[in-house]
Amino acid sequence: MTAPVSGPVRRRITVRGTVQGVGFRPFVHRLAADLELAGFVSNTANGVLIEVEGPMGEVGRFFDRLTEQPPPLAAVTGVGFEDVPATGVTGPFTIRPTEQSAGRTQLPPDTATCADCLRELADPADRRHRHPFITCTHCGPRFTIATGMPYDRAATTMAGFPMCPSCAREYGAPDDRRFHAQPVACPDCGPRLRLIPADGTDVRPARDTDALATARALLAAGRIVAVKGVGGYHLACDATDPRAVATLRARKERGGKAFAVMCADLGTAERVAALSDAERAALTSARRPIVLLRRRTPTDGLRLADQVCPGSPHVGVMLPYTPVHTLLFGLPGDPPGPRALVMTSGNRSGEPIVTDDAEALTRLASLADAWLAHDRPIASPCDDSLLRVRPDGTEQVLRRSRGYVPRPLRLPLPVRPTLAVGGDLKNAPCLGEGDLAWFGPHIGDMGDLATLEAAERAELHLGRLTGVTPRLVAADRHPRYHSTGWARTRSTRLGLRSPTLVQHHHAHIASAMAEHGLDGTTPVIGVAFDGTGYGDDGTVWGGEVLLADYTGYRRFAHLAPAPLPGGDAGVANPCRLALARLWAAGLPWERDLPSVAACSESERTVLRQQLERQVACVPTSGMGRLFDAVSSLVGVCHRAGYEAQAALELEAAATEAWHADTRAYRFGFRTLPPLHEVPSVRPLGALDRAGRWEIAPPLRAVLADLRRGTPTPVLAARFHRGVARAVTEICRRARGTTGLTTVALTGGVFANALLEEECAALLATDRFTVLRHREVPPNDGGLALGQLMVAGTATNHETE
C-alpha cells in the first residue's frame, strides 16, 4: 500500500489549442494565486507550459479548474501533464518570458469589441473614453496584427507603439483585464487616426474624435469615405442615400451585385430585416460576420436605397466590430450621422482588398472622397465573413475569413505537410499537417497579378503562424487556372515535385466529408453542383453525382451536357445559354420566348452558326449554367453583370411562390441503374458508364407553362422543386446499386437556400444521412480543404 503524499507536489502541464492571445496566462496566474500555488506559466511554440507546486489537493483542484473554466476566447484541444520532483519553492506564481523554440500553437481570430471595452469607450470618466483602439484580453485584433509566433507584442504590428507607464502597469498587473494583452494601448501611446481629404492633404487632427466627426459629417453629406479597419479598407457611404449608393456602385464598377450594410446597433438591424433568434445570435457573436437576412418592406422599417441590393429580397447585414466603427456611428450626444452604412471591401471589383495606407491613396483615389486612416499596420488582409442561417438554426458559411481565420479545423485523418491552393474563384488557400488544417483568409478571384501576389503573401503569413512547411502542393486539374499555375511556381520555389492535381468536384465532396469528420472508410454519394469544373473528359462538368471517398471517385450520373457558346465569356449572357439549351434539346427558338426576344437577330444568327459548327462551344454539364439558362428562359435575367446573378434572381423569384405552388417539373433519366436494393456497398470500380439526367422534359414543361401565362415566380419554384426531386431520385438509384446511404450536398449551387433545404428535406425523408456544409463554404472557398484531404492522405499522387 502506497503511503499518502504529505509534502508538496509539483506538476508540469502542457496546454494545446487556441491558448495564446486569449488571456490564458493571466487566467492561469489568477487561478494559481487563488489556490496559493507556486510555479510559473509561459507561452511556448507548442502552446502553454505550466508548472505548479503545492499541496496535492490544491494542485488537483488547479488542474480541474484549468480544464473546466478556460477563458472565453480559448479553445483547448489537448492537455498533458506529468508529475516532477518538487523544488520546495514557496515564492509567488510568475509569468515567464515566452520560450523561443520550434513547434506550433494556435492563434485566435480577430474578435469584436467586448462589452467591457464598449462600456469604457462611452464612459467620460475612463482614460480610454473615445479611444478608437481600445481592446483587452477578451477582444480585438489578433490574426491581422500577428507577424509571427509565439504571440507576444514584439511579434505584432503593435511593436512600434511602446506602452506608456499606465498601460505598462495594466499589462503587468495580474488582476487587470489587460494583463499581457498584446494590443493594449491608450490615447497617450497607441495608434492615431487621421482624415485625408480627396486632395491628398494628410490631416493629423489634435484628437481622434475630430477625424471621426469629420468622417461622420462627410457620410451624412452623401460622400464616400475609405475607412481602414482591422483587415483592410472599406468603402463606406450612407445606405439610405440613393445618390451616394449609386455613385459608389458606378465608381466601383460593381454592376448589380449587392452591397453589405453595417448597422449602428441591433435595433437598427431589426428595422432593416426581421431577425430570428439564431440570426440575432450570429449578428452579435464575437465573430461579427455579415449575415444574409430577409429584408423588411420599406413601410415596415428603415428604407435602404434600392441600389444597395437590387433585385434581391435579402440584404447582408453586420454590426460594428471595432471601436472605430462604433465611434463612426457616434456616441450619445454626438452630431447625428447615418445609422446604416454600405460597407464594401476597399478595392475595385476583382482586385484584392487594400491594406497599405500609401496604396490606398492611389488604388482608391477614384473611388473615395476621403480616407479615415490610422498608423497601425495590417499584417494580413482579412475580408468580412459571410453566412446565412438555416430555418433549423444551423449556419452555412459562404465566405470564411475574419472571425474564423486562423482557427484550425480538426481532420478525420492525418495529412502530410501540404499546401492546397484552392481554385480560381473565391480563392482561400489551406495549409495542413497531422490532424489540423488552417484556411487562409478569403482572397477572391484569381484574375490578375495583384490577386496572385496577395494569395502568395497570405500563404507565407499563414505558414509563419502555423509552422507548417509544405512538402506537397495540391491544386485543381484545370490546365488554365491561375491558381494551378501559382501552385507550379510555389512547388518549384519549395524544391518540391509538380503539384498533385485533384479533380474539382472530387475536392468539393472531400471537403464536405472532412468537415463532417468522415474517415473515408465508406464512400458517399456526392452531389456536386456548380457552374464550372474541369472534367476527366476535358469538358466542363458541374452537375455531378459521384460515388467518392478520399482515394477516388466514380461518376454515377451527370446533367445532360449542352454547348457553352463562347466558353467562360458566354456566362455573362444567360439568354445565349438558354438558346443553347433549347438547341441541344431539339426545341425551337420561337420569337416570343423571353430569351429569344432578348437576343438581337444578328446575335441569334451568329449563335446558331456557332452551335451548328461547334465553334467555341465547349460542352458543359454545369448545374449553375442550367440555372442561368432557365432564369433567362422564364424572363428573369438575360444579361449578368456579376457571378451567379441570373441564378440568384431566379431563386428570389421562386421564393415569392414557394408556399403557393408545390408542383415540380420532371426530369428524364438515361442509362441509370434500375431502382433496387442491394445488401452491401459495391466497389467504386465496379460501376458501368455514368447515367445522365435529361433536360428536355422540364424545358418542354417550362415552355408549356409560359404559353399558359403561368406567373414567373411559379415557373421558378417548379424548376427548383424539380431539381430537388431529381436529386432524390438519382440518390435512390445510387443507393439501390451500391447500398450507400450518406449524401453530401456540395458546390456553389448549394448556396441556393431553397434548393439546399428542399434537397435535404426530401433526402432525409427518404432515410438518407445528409451532409451539408456549415463552417466550410460549399462554394470554391472550401475547395482547398478537399484538395488537402485527397492529396495529403494519398500514397500515390497524380501530378502533371
Side-chain angles (χ1 to χ4, degrees):
M1 182 174 178
T2 305
V5 178
S6 56
V9 297
R10 190 175 183 89
R11 180 168 292 178
R12 179 177 297 146
I13 304 167
T14 55
V15 186
R16 298 179 300 280
T18 305
V19 289
Q20 293 190 22
V22 295
F24 202 88
R25 288 181 298 169
F27 158 73
V28 170
H29 185 281
R30 288 191 292 270
L31 181 57
D34 183 52
L35 295 171
E36 298 182 349
L37 297 173
F40 68 88
V41 60
S42 174
N43 277 344
T44 73
N46 289 309
V48 168
L49 172 66
I50 306 165
E51 288 194 13
V52 287
E53 184 168 333
M56 176 176 281
E58 298 303 292
V59 169
R61 277 187 280 278
F62 173 90
F63 187 82
D64 292 340
R65 289 170 62 180
L66 179 74
T67 56
E68 295 171 1
Q69 304 169 6
L73 297 183
V76 176
T77 60
V79 179
F81 71 92
E82 60 177 328
D83 291 327
V84 296
T87 64
V89 64
T90 57
F93 191 89
T94 62
I95 294 181
R96 287 187 177 178
T98 295
E99 292 185 5
Q100 300 293 334
S101 60
R104 176 177 302 129
T105 190
Q106 297 169 22
L107 184 71
D110 295 353
T111 54
T113 315
C114 69
D116 288 332
C117 284
L118 287 174
R119 185 169 53 254
E120 293 170 344
L121 186 71
D123 182 1
D126 193 278
R127 73 186 194 90
R128 290 188 176 85
H129 179 228
R130 296 185 178 273
H131 178 48
F133 305 95
I134 191 170
T135 184
C136 70
T137 56
H138 302 313
C139 68
R142 299 294 189 271
F143 172 71
T144 53
I145 64 170
T147 57
M149 293 297 282
Y151 177 72
D152 275 312
R153 194 178 182 96
T156 73
T157 58
M158 289 297 293
F161 297 93
M163 286 181 279
C164 67
S166 296
C167 286
R169 280 193 297 274
E170 294 170 331
Y171 184 88
D175 59 348
D176 195 281
R177 200 175 80 252
R178 294 183 173 89
F179 183 46
H180 281 250
Q182 305 309 333
V184 65
C186 73
D188 294 332
C189 63
R192 295 293 307 274
L193 285 176
R194 63 187 189 275
L195 195 286
I196 305 170
D199 63 9
T201 305
D202 193 344
V203 180
R204 296 179 182 271
R207 298 179 301 168
D208 290 322
T209 51
D210 297 334
L212 287 158
T214 304
R216 190 184 316 115
L218 287 170
L219 291 167
R223 301 305 179 90
I224 297 166
V225 178
V227 180
K228 185 179 181 181
V230 293
Y233 276 84
H234 283 107
L235 292 169
C237 73
D238 183 353
T240 66
D241 184 334
R243 181 176 296 179
V245 177
T247 299
L248 177 56
R249 184 171 292 283
R251 289 182 185 178
K252 197 170 178 182
E253 300 175 354
R254 193 174 172 87
K257 190 174 182 180
F259 284 127
V261 172
M262 179 179 283
C263 293
D265 48 38
L266 189 61
T268 305
E270 289 178 324
R271 293 175 61 200
V272 170
L275 304 180
S276 68
D277 289 343
E279 288 168 337
R280 193 174 290 106
L283 273 176
T284 57
S285 70
R287 295 166 292 149
R288 286 292 200 282
I290 301 170
V291 182
L292 283 177
L293 302 171
R294 184 82 178 176
R295 294 174 66 180
R296 289 189 185 275
T297 60
T299 55
D300 291 338
L302 184 69
R303 184 182 182 90
L304 300 178
D306 292 339
Q307 283 292 306
V308 169
C309 40
S312 174
H314 297 94
V315 59
V317 175
M318 60 180 161
L319 296 180
Y321 54 86
T322 72
V324 170
H325 296 147
T326 300
L327 294 170
L328 187 60
F329 282 110
L331 297 179
D334 285 343
R339 303 303 288 167
L341 295 173
V342 166
M343 278 283 191
T344 187
S345 56
N347 55 5
R348 289 191 178 277
S349 294
E351 295 180 354
I353 190 171
V354 175
T355 59
D356 179 76
D357 297 334
E359 192 176 342
L361 292 176
T362 55
R363 282 180 55 192
L364 305 182
S366 61
L367 305 181
D369 298 313
W371 289 255
L372 182 62
H374 59 75
D375 54 358
R376 183 179 67 198
I378 297 172
S380 176
C382 199
D383 219 330
D384 297 313
S385 294
L386 171 67
L387 62 81
R388 71 176 179 91
V389 178
R390 299 184 177 103
D392 65 359
T394 61
E395 296 176 358
Q396 182 192 53
V397 174
L398 300 172
R399 183 168 69 215
R400 187 183 189 274
S401 201
R402 180 188 50 76
Y404 292 90
V405 174
R407 187 176 71 199
L409 298 168
R410 184 74 58 180
L411 300 178
L413 293 173
V415 297
R416 68 195 68 192
T418 301
L419 163 65
V421 301
D424 266 20
L425 299 179
K426 299 178 176 61
N427 182 269
C430 187
L431 281 174
E433 183 174 3
D435 64 350
L436 294 177
W438 293 264
F439 268 109
H442 168 79
I443 302 298
D445 298 347
M446 306 281 273
D448 57 28
L449 180 61
T451 313
L452 289 167
E453 291 174 343
E456 182 163 1
R457 289 193 297 269
E459 182 261 318
L460 292 172
H461 183 245
L462 195 61
R464 287 193 295 271
L465 299 186
T466 63
V468 175
T469 301
R471 306 308 306 158
L472 178 71
V473 178
D476 194 275
R477 279 187 189 169
H478 198 301
R480 292 188 297 276
Y481 264 11
H482 298 287
S483 56
T484 304
W486 171 49
R488 297 188 194 104
T489 301
R490 195 75 185 103
S491 294
T492 300
R493 290 179 180 173
L494 289 167
L496 305 176
R497 64 180 183 178
S498 296
T500 298
L501 304 181
V502 181
Q503 200 281 327
H504 190 87
H505 303 97
H506 185 203
H508 270 308
I509 296 165
S511 174
M513 293 172 62
E515 182 179 10
H516 284 270
L518 273 62
D519 64 7
T521 302
T522 302
V524 302
I525 304 167
V527 182
F529 287 171
D530 59 11
T532 301
Y534 189 74
D536 294 345
D537 55 4
T539 67
V540 179
W541 288 9
E544 310 306 311
V545 180
L546 308 182
L547 308 183
D549 55 24
Y550 299 123
T551 64
Y553 61 92
R554 284 290 181 269
R555 197 182 192 194
F556 181 80
H558 61 87
L559 201 62
L564 180 61
D568 290 343
V571 175
N573 297 282
C575 55
R576 298 181 191 175
L577 301 181
L579 298 193
R581 271 290 172 190
L582 291 174
W583 183 87
L587 298 173
W589 294 357
E590 298 176 353
R591 289 182 177 273
D592 59 343
L593 292 176
S595 50
V596 177
C599 294
S600 67
E601 186 171 347
S602 61
E603 190 176 9
R604 293 195 302 269
T605 299
V606 172
L607 180 60
R608 188 178 294 279
Q609 291 175 348
Q610 269 189 285
L611 294 170
E612 290 174 346
R613 299 173 185 176
Q614 290 297 288
V615 175
C617 286
V618 178
T620 176
S621 62
M623 181 61 75
R625 301 291 79 83
L626 178 62
F627 269 77
D628 293 344
V630 172
S631 182
S632 173
L633 191 61
V634 303
V636 171
C637 178
H638 303 300
R639 311 287 182 182
Y642 59 91
E643 183 199 2
Q645 178 180 352
L648 286 168
E649 293 184 3
L650 184 68
E651 179 189 2
T655 302
E656 297 178 31
W658 193 249
H659 299 292
D661 188 282
T662 59
R663 284 179 284 181
Y665 296 130
R666 292 186 62 83
F667 287 78
F669 303 102
R670 286 179 54 187
T671 67
L672 280 178
L675 183 61
H676 64 275
E677 297 293 334
V678 295
S680 61
V681 175
R682 190 172 175 184
L684 294 184
L687 292 171
D688 299 325
R689 66 191 179 94
R692 75 181 193 179
W693 37 323
E694 298 295 338
I695 309 305
L699 292 183
R700 290 193 193 95
V702 169
L703 296 182
D705 276 348
L706 281 169
R707 297 277 176 250
R708 297 185 190 101
T710 305
T712 297
V714 173
L715 301 177
R718 289 177 181 176
F719 173 71
H720 277 74
R721 292 190 191 278
V723 173
R725 293 184 189 183
V727 166
T728 306
E729 175 65 17
I730 291 172
C731 290
R732 286 196 200 105
R733 303 283 184 101
R735 179 173 60 189
T737 304
T738 66
L740 298 174
T741 59
T742 298
V743 178
L745 303 178
T746 187
V749 170
F750 283 109
N752 181 316
L754 286 183
L755 181 67
E756 197 219 30
E757 289 296 329
E758 186 71 1
C759 286
L762 292 176
L763 289 165
T765 300
D766 217 335
R767 304 184 311 281
F768 285 98
T769 299
V770 184
L771 309 182
R772 298 199 279 175
H773 285 278
R774 295 192 177 184
E775 185 175 330
V776 177
N779 53 44
D780 285 6
L783 195 69
L785 178 63
Q787 294 173 348
L788 177 77
M789 291 301 298
V790 172
T793 61
T795 54
N796 297 307
H797 301 285
E798 177 193 348
T799 57
E800 297 179 280

